[in-house]
Amino acid sequence: MLKLILLSWILGIASMGSSLPLLFSIWPVLFILSLILVVLIQLKWVKTDFLAIKIVQVILFVSTAFSSGHYYADHALTKRLQFRETQPQQVEVVVYADRLSEFKEETVQQKVQVLGWHAKPVQWLLLMKSSGYQSPSSLQLGQYYRIQGRLKPAHSYATSGAFDQEKWWLQQNVMAGLRVDMIQPLTTEQVTALGFSAHQRQQQGWWMQFRLYIEQLRYGYREFIQHQPFVQKGLLLGLLTGDRSLLSAHTEAQFQRLGISHLLAISGPHVLIFALLVSWLLQRIIGRYRPQLYLKWPKVYVLMLPFLGAVLGYCAFVGFEIPALRTLLMSIVTVTVILLQQPLRSLSILLLSASILLLFDPWSVLSAAFWLSFGASFILLRIYQTLQQQPLGTEITGLQRFFQHFRLLVESQGKIFIALLPLVLIFFQQLSWIAPLANILTIPILAGVIVPLNIVSACLYLIWEPFGSLGFQITDHLLNLMMYLLNGMEHLFNPQLHRFAATPLIIVSLGLGMLLLFLPRGVVPKAWSALAIVPVFLGFTTHPQWTLHILDVGQGQAILLEDGQHKLMIDTGGYYREDKFSIGQQVVLPYLSRQGITQLQQLFLSHLDQDHSGALGAVLKGLPVQQILANEIVPDILPQQFQYCHAGQQWRFEHSQLRVLSPIYTDLAKVKSNRNEYSCVLYLQVTQAQGIQNFLIMGDAGWETEYQLLQRYPDLKVDVLVLGHHGSRHSSSYAFLQQLKPKLAVASVGWDNRYGHPSQELQARLRELGIPLLTTAQAGTLQFQLNEQEIKLRTHRQQWRWLQREPVADAVLRSGL
């Protein structure tokens, strides 16, 4: 029962951000009924021997635990959202630097406490330009500054599968970003004069001073390693402190391709290695100088507190990252169980540790590290339980013991790879098949040699720097050897990150299959796991019969149409530097993967501007496309794959028909002189729909094309208008809007874009004509879905509380969708 209650509590917190209004109304009733049932059971007025009572007890307790977890998570989320900034503006603030900065190429990022902005200090992320490591922009730890700059709230590409920056900042307790223009150090007297003397006194407390010392110590290690002639500086520092400032982008990408990125994070093994080293050293000292202590208390009791102290110290040293916290809590729970002389139940310890972590930090449930860390621990505990159940054998040789350990390593990595597959697909939508082999190669080297030597070298550095430097040099040579092996593996296997069509149904199917497979023997037949994953092989989907997706790709446009078995895209979006940040790789392909799309029959490019076609290369690399249509020849594609897009073309699909309205064929020769005006304008009609039925997609066409469309198609009916040129003031003229009178206008724009799209002039025209406006910046990805002859609209930002924007609901209601 306890396991079910803890699991329900965890799942309830995992529902953070989702809208479950029914739970809020019934939670008090469930809670009171659970208390009454507990009292009745304790008074023995209710007998739990009856099956019906047991069933009622389980349902009531599980429901109460889940709803309590959801209520607690929602309350914590509401409190944190109160301090989040949502509007960009120029600001001047006083900040206190208590966190180490991080360096990413030409940018310095540093978390700081912002004073006086709210009733209590809040954490912002400073974003500073830097030409190199020795940047004057980096703030000195323990100092106060006056900062001027532009407030930059978090804003994600609100598209399923894309990285959710708003969720990430919320989980990291970062309430806003700030692009720094000016930094002015403040003296103690100036800080006092500004009214922050209470904050100064607070920072003098022992805990704050300890945290500051830890950050300064981390900074000292980074400074030392940076200025030494080590080859693997980034790995040395990353494996010691978790700081990736010195890690090259090439190394990070290589670890991703090999599926071993998790080894760059500080995890449980790092913490345990340090704690075991401390315990071993203390044991040797006590055995030599105070062996009589073991006469008073058992050895395990003597070493418990030092072990926990070492775990706590290393967790603090690495900034209380989730995997380290998990190890700390599991250690505390295990020690408590031993002291209370209770039996050790591995799964109970795991669930209890996760529940306690979420009690103090419910936002950690939003992190991939939480699920992957506890998921891997679950598999390792299952393997440990299996080994415990095996009968003891006879004495074995050292070689036999080596092969046993190697077999255990292979088995554990294979099982972890299989079991965590659903989680990996949920969070990353891609994986590397070579990951188990790469882990088998690197984990023994890292956990058995490099990490312990790295930790010992760091300790020696504090005692006498030359010893520490020698240890780091040896570790650097070992890291060179490991990288040589990894380079050889890459050369031999040429690993790539493979993207999979991971629809929600497939992920749930995989998750259920893995759960059934790794449950203890005898609970359910293992063959059931094969039945659970049948949808994976049959490619089942749960999509409506017809869906039009207008993706949030920032300042650009990308549209997906699903009509039965026919899949096509209109534009791909594109970042102005796809080599630096790829809209195709980071937004479009993950979204297609979530929709279960493995190929496109057609891809229309309205024109070849970067914001409409820049991600084409990534899309073509990620999945096959049968036909590409554009108003001019697209470079680097096969001639038989290309066709000009011009007026008069039309296609009929299962539920809709698509027509090209512009440009006319004779104008194709003029395209290069004015790409925007000669954009491919597409008209989509859903033949079986009632109400909302007609969609007009304008590309970047402006007033001239609009005038020609009105002349050629005077009876054109439009229900949803995807505005030309992202809502520029030179498109969507008053006459055009007045004649079409769409029920909804959509602008595909980037949030806070430098062009001011959609323009104020356009918004004024729409208001005067009573046409509701939705933008991808405020609504995220829009999905128009046909269900039983009626089209309804879903917006991605309405699905999670941290993404929601109020004007979205009003626009949807006014449009009748």
Side-chain angles (χ1 to χ4, degrees):
M1 178 64 75
L2 177 61
K3 294 177 184 178
L4 283 176
I5 291 174
L6 292 176
L7 183 59
S8 301
W9 161 264
I10 294 169
L11 293 177
I13 292 182
S15 66
M16 175 186 286
S18 57
S19 179
L20 301 173
L22 180 62
L23 281 183
F24 286 102
S25 58
I26 68 172
W27 176 76
V29 177
L30 290 173
F31 188 76
I32 292 172
L33 290 176
S34 296
L35 287 179
I36 293 173
L37 183 59
V38 169
V39 172
L40 293 178
I41 291 174
Q42 290 299 318
L43 294 176
K44 298 184 179 179
W45 291 358
V46 172
K47 295 183 179 180
T48 58
D49 298 338
F50 297 108
L51 179 61
I53 297 297
K54 286 184 178 180
I55 293 174
V56 170
Q57 182 182 5
V58 169
I59 293 175
L60 190 57
F61 286 176
V62 166
S63 301
T64 303
F66 181 87
S67 57
S68 299
H70 178 76
Y71 180 84
Y72 180 74
D74 189 82
H75 177 69
L77 180 61
T78 300
K79 289 181 63 177
R80 182 159 287 189
L81 287 175
Q82 291 176 353
F83 300 103
R84 184 183 63 167
E85 304 299 326
T86 58
Q87 296 299 323
Q89 57 181 303
Q90 287 295 129
V91 298
E92 179 178 293
V93 292
V94 174
V95 306
Y96 176 70
D98 63 340
R99 297 294 183 93
L100 188 63
S101 59
E102 295 182 5
F103 297 87
K104 298 182 181 298
E105 295 181 355
E106 298 180 355
T107 306
V108 180
Q109 299 181 1
Q110 187 165 4
K111 295 177 183 177
V112 295
Q113 293 185 42
V114 178
L115 312 181
W117 193 258
H118 291 284
K120 65 177 185 179
V122 292
Q123 187 168 248
W124 287 4
L125 182 66
L126 299 187
L127 307 169
M128 300 166 281
K129 292 290 185 181
S130 172
S131 57
Y133 174 75
Q134 295 292 347
S135 169
S137 302
S138 184
L139 307 188
Q140 186 177 349
L141 293 170
Q143 297 298 313
Y144 292 85
Y145 296 87
R146 178 182 281 112
I147 305 287
Q148 290 182 355
R150 182 168 176 79
L151 190 66
K152 182 184 180 296
H155 194 88
S156 309
Y157 294 98
T159 299
S160 178
F163 174 69
D164 191 343
Q165 187 192 56
E166 294 176 60
K167 181 175 75 172
W168 174 249
W169 279 18
L170 193 69
Q171 190 263 319
Q172 295 289 310
N173 197 22
V174 174
M175 298 294 100
L178 182 63
R179 293 195 180 279
V180 175
D181 297 327
M182 185 277 291
I183 300 174
Q184 177 189 350
L186 297 175
T187 64
T188 303
E189 293 77 15
Q190 289 174 316
V191 176
T192 303
L194 289 170
F196 300 121
S197 56
H199 186 271
Q200 288 178 304
R201 289 193 299 272
Q202 184 184 22
Q203 299 309 309
Q204 298 306 313
W206 71 269
W207 175 246
M208 293 301 180
Q209 287 295 302
F210 172 72
R211 289 185 57 181
L212 183 61
Y213 168 74
I214 291 296
E215 291 298 305
Q216 291 171 337
L217 185 62
R218 285 159 56 89
Y219 177 77
Y221 281 121
R222 184 166 75 185
E223 283 283 294
F224 172 74
I225 293 175
Q226 165 68 19
H227 294 95
Q228 294 299 311
F230 302 140
V231 177
Q232 304 296 339
K233 297 178 182 180
L235 287 175
L236 276 173
L237 182 64
L239 293 173
L240 179 64
T241 69
D243 183 358
R244 300 192 184 188
S245 295
L246 307 182
L247 198 63
S248 68
H250 171 76
T251 301
E252 286 196 86
Q254 183 179 23
F255 273 59
Q256 287 177 355
R257 289 192 300 272
L258 292 170
I260 54 175
S261 294
H262 62 96
L263 299 178
L264 297 174
I266 299 299
S267 58
H270 294 74
V271 179
L272 292 177
I273 287 170
F274 175 72
L276 290 173
L277 287 173
V278 171
S279 301
W280 175 82
L281 181 62
L282 184 62
Q283 177 187 350
R284 301 287 293 183
I285 293 173
I286 293 176
R288 184 174 181 86
Y289 298 105
R290 289 289 186 272
Q292 59 270 26
L293 284 177
Y294 295 142
L295 298 177
K296 296 182 179 181
W297 301 287
K299 183 185 298 184
V300 65
Y301 287 179
V302 173
L303 298 177
M304 274 182 182
L305 286 180
F307 177 83
L308 288 180
V311 172
L312 176 62
Y314 203 84
C315 286
F317 179 64
V318 299
F320 291 104
E321 293 290 337
I322 289 175
L325 267 177
R326 181 255 304 164
T327 304
L328 173 62
L329 289 172
M330 289 184 67
S331 300
I332 293 173
V333 171
T334 302
V335 167
T336 304
V337 169
I338 292 175
L339 290 176
L340 294 175
Q341 297 183 350
Q342 296 296 316
L344 286 172
R345 305 190 194 285
S346 303
L347 185 57
S348 298
I349 290 174
L350 188 68
L351 291 173
L352 186 59
S353 302
S355 300
I356 295 172
L357 173 59
L358 294 178
L359 181 65
F360 290 101
D361 182 16
W363 304 279
S364 62
V365 79
L366 302 177
S367 169
F370 172 85
W371 296 100
L372 294 174
S373 175
F374 279 97
S377 296
F378 171 73
I379 302 305
L380 291 175
L381 288 174
R382 286 291 301 120
I383 295 173
Y384 173 71
Q385 288 177 332
T386 303
L387 291 176
Q388 278 190 321
Q389 294 169 1
Q390 293 178 356
L392 296 176
T394 57
E395 290 291 330
I396 58 175
T397 65
L399 184 61
Q400 290 174 322
R401 186 176 292 108
F402 169 78
F403 280 112
Q404 279 189 352
H405 289 149
F406 180 75
R407 178 185 172 186
L408 180 62
L409 174 65
V410 172
E411 179 185 355
S412 63
Q413 290 308 309
K415 288 183 175 180
I416 287 174
F417 177 77
I418 295 172
L420 297 187
L421 184 59
L423 291 175
V424 171
L425 291 179
I426 288 173
F427 292 111
F428 308 112
Q429 296 91 48
Q430 55 186 4
L431 55 84
S432 172
W433 287 116
I434 202 176
L437 182 59
N439 278 282
I440 292 170
L441 173 67
T442 53
I443 285 178
I445 300 175
L446 284 175
V449 183
I450 291 177
V451 170
L453 184 56
N454 207 24
I455 292 173
V456 170
S457 302
C459 295
L460 291 175
Y461 170 81
L462 297 177
I463 301 171
W464 193 31
E465 184 177 317
F467 275 2
S469 179
L470 177 61
F472 282 130
Q473 288 178 13
I474 297 173
T475 308
D476 185 50
H477 289 310
L478 292 174
L479 283 171
N480 283 331
L481 175 61
M482 185 188 78
M483 293 305 298
Y484 176 79
L485 295 175
L486 291 179
N487 290 334
M489 180 178 291
E490 257 206 317
H491 179 74
L492 181 63
F493 295 101
N494 190 26
Q496 299 293 329
L497 290 173
H498 298 279
R499 197 175 296 278
F500 293 88
T503 64
L505 177 61
I506 288 178
I507 291 175
V508 169
S509 174
L510 274 174
L512 180 60
M514 296 305 103
L515 179 63
L516 295 176
L517 183 63
F518 288 97
L519 281 175
R521 291 184 180 276
V523 178
V524 294
K526 297 297 182 182
W528 286 15
S529 61
L531 295 176
I533 62 175
V534 166
V536 176
F537 299 101
L538 297 183
F540 286 164
T541 62
T542 57
H543 291 167
Q545 49 196 337
W546 181 95
T547 309
L548 182 71
H549 315 250
I550 302 178
L551 279 64
D552 177 10
V553 290
Q555 187 61 23
Q557 179 173 283
I559 299 173
L560 169 68
L561 172 64
E562 293 184 89
D563 190 339
Q565 297 300 314
H566 197 88
K567 322 291 183 183
L568 68 84
M569 283 197 71
I570 303 166
D571 291 336
T572 63
Y575 196 60
Y576 76 101
R577 280 190 59 187
E578 275 282 313
D579 59 330
K580 183 179 180 181
F581 176 84
S582 174
I583 289 289
Q585 287 287 346
Q586 305 299 327
V587 181
V588 176
L589 287 177
Y591 186 78
L592 297 180
S593 173
R594 285 289 174 91
Q595 307 311 309
I597 293 176
T598 56
Q599 66 173 341
L600 295 172
Q601 278 73 39
Q602 292 171 302
L603 196 160
F604 291 81
L605 298 175
S606 62
H607 59 302
L608 299 191
D609 280 359
Q610 179 70 12
D611 59 334
H612 288 254
S613 66
L616 175 63
V619 172
L620 292 178
K621 186 177 180 181
L623 75 170
V625 177
Q626 294 179 11
Q627 185 182 45
I628 298 175
L629 298 97
N631 57 359
E632 60 179 310
I633 293 177
V634 180
D636 303 325
I637 67 169
L638 298 174
Q640 61 269 27
Q641 194 179 9
F642 175 77
Q643 184 177 352
Y644 280 108
C645 172
H646 59 84
Q649 295 172 315
Q650 66 178 25
W651 297 264
R652 288 186 178 274
F653 310 125
E654 186 175 342
H655 301 96
S656 62
Q657 61 180 8
L658 181 67
R659 297 167 56 194
V660 181
L661 303 186
S662 182
I664 61 176
Y665 187 79
T666 54
D667 284 341
L668 290 176
K670 307 175 186 177
V671 168
K672 290 188 177 180
S673 63
N674 194 340
R675 278 180 172 174
N676 286 353
E677 207 58 63
Y678 293 106
S679 293
C680 290
V681 177
L682 300 174
Y683 184 56
L684 180 64
Q685 292 179 290
V686 187
T687 53
Q688 301 176 8
Q690 298 176 357
I692 301 296
Q693 187 177 26
N694 307 303
F695 296 77
L696 182 62
I697 303 168
M698 294 294 296
D700 272 357
W703 292 346
E704 180 182 340
T705 302
E706 292 169 5
Y707 176 77
Q708 294 175 358
L709 288 176
L710 293 180
Q711 298 302 310
R712 291 188 208 135
Y713 311 99
D715 299 326
L716 191 65
K717 295 180 180 180
V718 175
D719 299 309
V720 177
L721 173 64
V722 181
L723 296 168
H725 207 193
H726 318 285
S728 163
R729 63 190 179 94
H730 297 298
S731 63
S732 306
S733 65
Y734 188 91
F736 186 67
L737 294 172
Q738 186 180 39
Q739 180 163 332
L740 295 182
K741 200 63 183 300
K743 297 176 182 177
L744 178 67
V746 176
S748 184
V749 298
W751 180 75
D752 193 31
N753 64 84
R754 61 192 179 99
Y755 307 102
H757 294 161
S759 67
Q760 294 299 320
E761 294 91 335
L762 168 66
Q763 294 185 54
R765 296 174 210 150
L766 294 172
R767 282 194 299 268
E768 186 172 343
L769 292 168
I771 301 172
L773 170 66
L774 274 183
T775 72
T776 53
Q778 69 177 174
T781 291
L782 286 73
Q783 291 184 341
F784 297 88
Q785 295 181 344
L786 175 65
N787 287 303
E788 297 181 355
Q789 298 184 339
E790 186 178 12
I791 292 178
K792 285 296 182 181
L793 172 61
R794 294 178 58 207
T795 62
H796 186 78
R797 286 195 174 273
Q798 293 305 107
Q799 297 181 28
W800 303 102
R801 281 192 58 199
W802 57 80
L803 294 176
Q804 290 176 6
R805 303 292 185 267
E806 290 302 327
V808 174
D810 296 337
V812 174
L813 287 173
R814 288 171 56 205
S815 68
L817 286 164

